[in-house]
Amino acid sequence: MSVQDRIRYTSLHSHLMSAAQAASLIPNGANVGMSGFTGASYPKVLPQAIADFARAEHAAGRPYKINVWTGASTAPECDGVMAEAHAVSQRLPFNSDRIMRQEINNGDVNFIDMHLSHVAQQAEFGFLGHMNVAIVEVVAITEDGMLIPSTGIGNNQTWLNMADKVILEVNMGMPIQVEGMHDIYQNNVLPPHRSPININRADDRIGTPYLKVDLNKVVAIVESNAPDRDNVFSEPDEKSKQIAEYIVDFLSQEIKMGRLPKEMLPIQSGVGNVANAVLAGLLTGPFENLYGYTEVLQDGMLDLLRAGKMTTASATAISLSAKAFKDFVDNIDFYRKRIILRSLEISNHPELIRRLGIIAMNSMIEADIYGNINSTHVMGTSMMNGIGGSGDFARNSFLNFFVTPSTAKDDKISCIVPMVSHVDHTEHDTQIIVTEQGLADLRGLAPRQRAKVVIEKCAHPDYRDQLQDYYDRALHTAKGIHTPHILTEALSWHEHFLKTGSMKM
Ligand code: COA
């Protein structure tokens, strides 16, 4: 099959060009909306061409940087190459690429860390500025000019609606049989004219399988042939397995107590190794007929679908290891019936998360004894990846879990601290904290009661006495003791780590 065969709207054939030609159509300073979500469906060849173009412009003494808006993270061959060429001025809303992270943390890139469900609507409200160019990966263009999306949707429909010019990448390496898996619902009506979004079950479909674009805006079509990022997971280690076990036991107990239906409620699982291990725990747990209503579908959820433990999974992207992706392609007819890919603003919509009663599980960097959560900043100042959808899900969920090993960096860092060095999720949002030491159920507890449970259940033994000592002294010295703190000491653990390389005092 040639790329022309995948562009069934034949009058678009004349727009086929090289990536270098397409990149030269993007002016310095442009706001560029790209496809891309957690290593899936990002443009595969344009970013390198943009990086080359930027280098040539810089060598000629001309400035060249663009602002890059995506759904979430991309890959080294997208964020990485553009960051390396110093081709990016502003980046939003999420990044996990190492080189882009360096550019963000050394101040060369302005990173806007947003709740993912906010991005499309804030762009439509005009809060983020005008969009000049959209670059969107698709697998094919239909006879009537509709776009068959690839492995992720993210904010693509919004970018296609907003951009002055559209560049499409047709990825020949992506299976054409994904057609029909997507459910695109146009939700771009502005307040006060919005109406309810009619999804009442995780597997409801309310849109069409295609992205729409005004074909007059398409200025270039570029062929690519490359897989998504290989999202390799390490085998769950003992700590992750222990965390998973606590969660599975807790959920079983909630069912016994009649607080959860026997088939549970739809599950959201965050990014990272621990989150994937929790899904592996559900595979062997006593649950059947599960539903996924999540942002990104990782290997663990594919395993649940294959094993028949999960009935349907709804997400905005499929982000798999190369091994799991092969299984996905080999059994695509099976998975197409069981996976629904939606726009990011629908997968993460607070209205739907609240209505469906999602069980949210997200990893974190650190928690404090009162339940405030830091998901994004190392030692309070360096950006890791971003808040992603963790806030969308945690605040609006039926139940939420925040998980982490109790220590990091060979036990030199305690992930349970007196006060978090940055707050992403406040104590008001946090319900359950889990480490390999135990599970702290904070529902219905006041701050002093929470501190007791968090220290007892979640802290690593090396730090438990140190935390208890801080808390006891705060209780006896603070003026107001609703939430006891010693303000001059609250962040001293982080300071001590920066000075000595360890939080142990
Ligand atoms: N202080 C400093 N560094 C810490 C730390 C802490 N308290 N806790 C963890 N780290 C480091 C680890 O040492 C590791 O470093 P390395 O990359 O140099 O090995 C890194 O952070 C990742 O930690 P890891 O334990 O492997 O966790 P993970 O892969 O599960 O990722 C987050 C954890 C928090 C970074 C990740 O889940 C994230 O970005 N979350 C925010 C977005 C989100 O929740 N999205 C989901 C919504 S769908």
Side-chain angles (χ1 to χ4, degrees):
M1 187 183 261
S2 70
V3 69
Q4 279 83 0
D5 295 326
R6 287 208 180 192
I7 306 172
R8 298 182 215 140
Y9 192 88
T10 49
S11 58
L12 285 177
H13 287 181
S14 58
H15 291 64
L16 271 165
M17 63 180 76
S18 70
Q21 283 171 310
S24 70
L25 302 174
I26 305 169
N28 177 40
N31 288 331
V32 179
M34 286 191 190
S35 57
F37 202 96
T38 318
S41 70
Y42 52 90
K44 306 294 187 295
V45 290
L46 250 298
Q48 182 63 60
I50 291 168
D52 295 343
F53 186 67
R55 282 207 173 87
E57 289 294 281
H58 299 162
R62 288 187 290 269
Y64 188 87
K65 281 192 180 201
I66 59 171
N67 301 324
V68 177
W69 310 351
T70 58
S73 65
T74 65
E77 60 272 27
C78 183
D79 268 304
V81 293
M82 291 189 296
E84 208 166 9
H86 305 290
V88 178
S89 174
Q90 179 205 62
R91 181 74 179 89
L92 67 84
F94 191 83
N95 165 69
S96 63
D97 179 76
R98 186 180 53 81
I99 302 172
M100 183 63 83
R101 184 183 295 137
Q102 276 164 12
E103 291 281 289
I104 290 166
N105 285 321
N106 70 21
D108 284 344
V109 171
N110 285 320
F111 178 58
I112 307 177
D113 179 19
M114 297 172 72
H115 291 301
L116 297 190
S117 75
H118 283 176
V119 179
Q121 68 160 8
Q122 291 200 14
E124 279 157 7
F125 294 164
F127 295 175
L128 306 177
H130 186 77
M131 178 165 288
N132 305 98
V133 184
I135 305 173
V136 174
E137 179 182 273
V138 298
V139 299
I141 303 169
T142 67
E143 288 77 0
D144 45 3
M146 309 287 253
L147 311 179
I148 303 177
S150 124
T151 43
I153 309 282
N155 292 314
N156 292 354
Q157 188 58 66
T158 304
W159 300 162
L160 292 166
N161 293 347
M162 287 180 63
D164 296 333
K165 294 182 198 167
V166 171
I167 298 172
L168 299 173
E169 269 199 18
V170 178
N171 190 342
M172 303 295 290
M174 287 294 162
I176 196 92
Q177 299 90 329
V178 291
E179 182 173 1
M181 193 175 270
H182 312 90
D183 186 63
I184 315 292
Y185 171 72
Q186 291 254 14
N187 188 37
N188 54 352
V189 179
L190 299 186
H193 305 293
R194 285 182 168 172
S195 44
I197 299 165
N198 206 12
I199 292 179
N200 298 302
R201 286 167 45 110
D203 56 354
D204 280 348
R205 284 179 174 271
I206 56 168
T208 78
Y210 307 108
L211 292 162
K212 292 195 188 104
V213 62
D214 172 355
L215 295 173
N216 295 316
K217 298 200 298 187
V218 178
V219 293
I221 303 182
V222 175
E223 178 181 353
S224 69
N225 191 339
D228 282 334
R229 184 179 82 192
D230 180 3
N231 291 291
V232 192
F233 292 103
S234 44
E235 273 300 302
D237 60 10
E238 281 315 307
K239 288 183 183 175
S240 307
K241 282 190 196 154
Q242 188 61 67
I243 290 172
E245 223 173 288
Y246 288 129
I247 294 180
V248 169
D249 286 352
F250 176 87
L251 291 171
S252 308
Q253 198 57 30
E254 288 294 293
I255 293 173
K256 269 194 206 128
M257 294 175 81
R259 289 200 286 238
L260 262 182
K262 131 168 136 346
E263 64 286 7
M264 294 225 290
L265 287 165
I267 295 163
Q268 175 261 339
S269 161
V271 291
N273 289 321
V274 179
N276 213 49
V278 173
L279 292 177
L282 291 177
L283 196 60
T284 50
F287 312 108
E288 306 290 337
N289 306 317
L290 299 171
Y291 281 87
Y293 195 87
T294 191
E295 178 183 291
V296 56
L297 195 149
Q298 293 186 301
D299 287 20
M301 225 173 243
L302 207 72
D303 293 342
L304 287 168
L305 286 168
R306 192 181 331 99
K309 287 268 188 177
M310 182 169 275
T311 310
T312 305
S314 163
T316 193
I318 310 172
S319 171
L320 301 172
S321 64
K323 185 165 165 271
F325 191 72
K326 181 171 181 323
D327 169 57
F328 170 75
V329 174
D330 290 348
N331 299 289
I332 199 149
D333 291 336
F334 172 87
Y335 288 120
R336 196 176 40 248
K337 292 187 203 121
R338 292 165 178 81
I339 295 174
I340 304 173
L341 295 183
R342 309 180 190 275
S343 289
L344 174 56
E345 60 185 317
I346 301 296
S347 66
N348 287 31
H349 203 292
E351 172 193 338
L352 303 175
I353 293 166
R354 197 58 86 90
R355 180 181 306 138
L356 298 174
I358 304 298
I359 300 174
M361 298 184 246
N362 291 292
S363 304
M364 59 177 164
I365 290 194
E366 59 182 5
D368 68 28
I369 53 177
Y370 298 113
N372 298 290
I373 305 290
N374 172 9
S375 296
T376 56
H377 283 67
V378 173
M379 298 298 143
T381 59
S382 293
M383 173 53 63
M384 178 62 99
N385 301 322
I387 192 167
S390 55
D392 296 328
F393 283 95
R395 174 161 287 181
N396 300 294
S397 59
F398 181 91
L399 266 183
N400 71 56
F401 297 88
F402 281 101
V403 303
T404 179
S406 65
T407 57
K409 307 290 177 212
D410 299 326
D411 300 340
K412 301 271 178 14
I413 294 176
S414 173
C415 298
I416 307 295
V417 288
M419 183 184 266
V420 284
S421 57
H422 175 92
V423 189
D424 291 294
H425 312 283
T426 71
E427 50 161 325
H428 314 285
D429 295 327
T430 307
Q431 295 181 336
I432 298 150
I433 295 178
V434 197
T435 71
E436 82 290 352
Q437 300 294 324
L439 179 149
D441 181 359
L442 307 182
R443 293 172 300 171
L445 301 185
R448 292 193 305 279
Q449 296 169 306
R450 274 187 238 141
K452 182 174 180 325
V453 181
V454 171
I455 295 170
E456 261 175 36
K457 303 275 187 188
C458 297
H460 189 277
D462 287 2
Y463 293 98
R464 206 172 280 144
D465 291 347
Q466 205 174 304
L467 282 168
Q468 190 64 49
D469 173 61
Y470 171 83
Y471 175 76
D472 290 341
R473 286 185 294 112
L475 190 63
H476 292 110
T477 55
K479 197 157 168 46
I481 56 160
H482 173 66
T483 306
H485 265 306
I486 307 168
L487 292 182
T488 49
E489 246 188 66
L491 295 173
S492 63
W493 291 35
H494 301 84
E495 214 182 340
H496 193 68
F497 173 80
L498 292 171
K499 275 194 196 134
T500 67
S502 171
M503 280 189 175
K504 288 179 188 159
M505 306 278 186

